[in-house]
Amino acid sequence: MTIAFVFPGQGAQTIGMGKALAEAYPAAKAIFDEVDDALGESLSRLIWEGEIETLTLTQNAQPALMATSLAAMRALEAEGVTIGKAAFVAGHSLGEYSALAAAGAISVADTARLLRTRGLAMQSAVPVGEGAMAAILGLDLDAVRAVAEEAAQGEVCQAANDNDPTQVVVSGAKAAVERAAEIAKEKGAKRAVMLPVSAPFHCALMQPAADAMAEALAGVDIKSPAVPLIANVRADAVTSPDEIRQLLVEQVTGSVRWRESVLAMAAKGVTEFWEIGAGKALSGMIRKIDRSLACRQVGTPEDAAAAAGA
């Protein structure tokens, strides 16, 4: 059995996530304390006692999901499972930062600050209401790319997330994305769902955010991860700190190649994926990509204890 640790992205956030981990494991509680200190505010109070609308704001959701993932990682370590149990790490969009922090490439404090910067930069890159994203269900990547190209009509419209064989997300200017949703249905998509997001992530409209992240990442110490990272924009393994820095910048405007990333890990011998942190969205995608791959969620003390006995 060869295992990969994968880390969720935005959308997995819930009020109360990670609280049981913090109560059960002092090392998990220390992660939330460290993130609070790095940000100069009690993000943990928002995560555990706040309003979901506030937690869902991009600048809050990103560091909050990372903190929860790292708390789960510390719980695993307390149970005797180290990062070395994994052959690879990977994360979906912001989850790539969680993966790098879990693998020791970036400190927890730096990761929290980077994700706060990333969230604010992504939110401010495009005025609210001018961008949109839509999930196209039932068409493959090539078909959705053709739909996006037809819908663009001089505006930005790109395939942003290749999640699994049944779901590709398009992102760009609101009118273009709305056109893409209609064209996709005409081309045989089962559904085209406008997503409740506050900005058009992973498309060329995010260039101001990419510039902000290039500046922020330039000042951060990045080490080689303890295990290779399967990078979103490359769908292949990377260990070089300089490459990681560049790929994190490219990721802001580039596509999240999740389907290809999972297939790449499977081709390298991975047979089981552990989803570290909140929710089980990645496990659902992985099962659609290849039903022979096993999945395990690690988001509660019970999960951590069970994983240690696996």
Side-chain angles (χ1 to χ4, degrees), residues 134-139 143-144 147 150 177-194:
I136 309 301
L137 308 179
L139 294 181
V144 173
V147 165
E150 182 179 340
V177 171
E178 289 172 342
R179 286 193 295 270
E182 291 307 311
I183 292 168
K185 285 184 275 191
E186 292 168 7
K187 301 281 188 186
K190 292 179 182 176
R191 291 174 67 203
V193 183
M194 299 298 291

Side-chain angles (χ1 to χ4, degrees), residues 4 6 88 90 141 162-166 230-231 234-237 257-271 273 282 285-293:
V6 296
F88 301 96
L141 177 61
D162 179 18
N163 285 333
D164 63 49
T166 70
I230 302 296
R234 187 177 289 177
D236 201 0
R257 296 167 61 183
W258 187 250
R259 178 184 59 84
E260 292 174 87
S261 295
V262 171
L263 290 174
M265 286 183 272
K268 295 175 188 293
V270 172
T271 55
F273 290 80
L282 298 184
M285 293 177 197
I286 290 164
R287 290 190 181 100
K288 289 176 181 174
I289 293 165
D290 184 343
R291 292 208 170 273
S292 74
L293 300 171

